[in-house]
């Protein structure tokens, strides 16, 4: 699946990519947030290490109420 903008980034496309990631987090939808990361992303949350979109989505679903209530 190809989602623009893709690297190499210009100042304009980097800002667009950042806005898209913000929009995903603001949606409070774990599936949409996970799509902002690559299929082989590596995440660390304290002592937990996650790899891949599926693991990120599962983690966010498990902790979503607390994670998405940050202001």
């Amino acid at each position: 699946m190809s989602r623009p903008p893709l690297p190499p980034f210009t100042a304009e496309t980097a800002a667009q990519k950042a806005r898209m990631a913000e929009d995903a987090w603001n949606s409070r939808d774990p599936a949409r947030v996970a799509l902002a990361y690559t299929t082989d992303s590596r995440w660390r949350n304290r002592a937990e290490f996650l790899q891949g979109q599926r693991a990120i989505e599962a983690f966010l679903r498990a902790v979503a109420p607390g994670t998405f209530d940050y202001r």
Side-chain angles (χ1 to χ4, degrees), residues 5 24 27 29 32-33 40 43-44 50 53-54 56 66 70:
S27 75
D29 176 6
R32 189 168 169 199
V33 173
D40 61 347
W43 248 37
R44 182 177 85 71
L50 310 166
Q53 285 177 340
R54 288 183 181 169
I56 292 169
Y70 290 145

Side-chain angles (χ1 to χ4, degrees), residues 9 19 32 34 43 48 55 63:
F9 297 112
R19 278 191 303 274
R32 189 168 169 199
W43 248 37
E48 243 178 304
V63 299

Side-chain angles (χ1 to χ4, degrees), residues 9-40:
F9 297 112
T10 64
E12 183 180 323
T13 58
Q16 180 184 4
K17 184 74 169 182
R19 278 191 303 274
M20 290 170 65
E22 288 174 346
D23 290 346
W25 275 97
N26 290 337
S27 75
R28 296 178 171 205
D29 176 6
R32 189 168 169 199
V33 173
L35 286 176
Y37 297 89
T38 62
T39 56
D40 61 347

Side-chain angles (χ1 to χ4, degrees), residues 25 43 59-60 62-71:
W25 275 97
W43 248 37
F59 172 78
L60 290 174
V63 299
T67 301
F68 292 117
D69 284 339
Y70 290 145
R71 296 273 187 245

